[in-house]
Amino acid sequence: MRYIGKMLRATIEWQRSPESKYEFTAKYEGRHYRLRLNDFPVEPICTLIWDDGEQDLEEFGPNWSIPFHKPK
């Protein structure tokens, strides 16, 4: 969990995932991550997913850049 806290404080540039408009990808400290937007407020705001785990998050990292989907 400490590593997640460090990641939440890091500056991360998320990219759109080709699989879903509700998922984003990023590389942090040599590992690949996915960020899935959930059905907020019924569920946590997002889920951070990596090779061997996942963690629900109640907030985004303040220094994260996420290209949100904007309706036309």
Side-chain angles (χ1 to χ4, degrees):
M1 192 65 154
R2 285 185 191 165
Y3 187 78
I4 299 297
K6 180 179 173 187
M7 193 172 178
L8 283 169
R9 292 185 301 276
T11 299
I12 299 177
E13 186 81 24
W14 292 93
Q15 305 298 318
R16 292 184 189 278
S17 170
E19 285 87 37
S20 170
K21 66 181 178 181
Y22 301 105
E23 284 192 3
F24 303 89
T25 61
K27 191 171 183 179
Y28 175 69
E29 293 191 346
R31 295 179 77 175
H32 292 276
Y33 293 89
R34 288 185 306 140
L35 185 68
R36 181 183 65 223
L37 302 182
N38 295 324
D39 187 16
F40 184 79
V42 177
E43 299 174 336
I45 196 164
C46 64
T47 301
L48 182 65
I49 304 165
W50 59 94
D51 295 336
D52 56 353
E54 64 180 53
Q55 175 71 44
D56 288 333
L57 301 176
E58 297 295 337
E59 61 185 15
F60 298 110
N63 299 316
W64 289 4
S65 175
I66 304 170
F68 286 103
H69 171 73
K70 295 181 182 176
K72 292 182 180 183

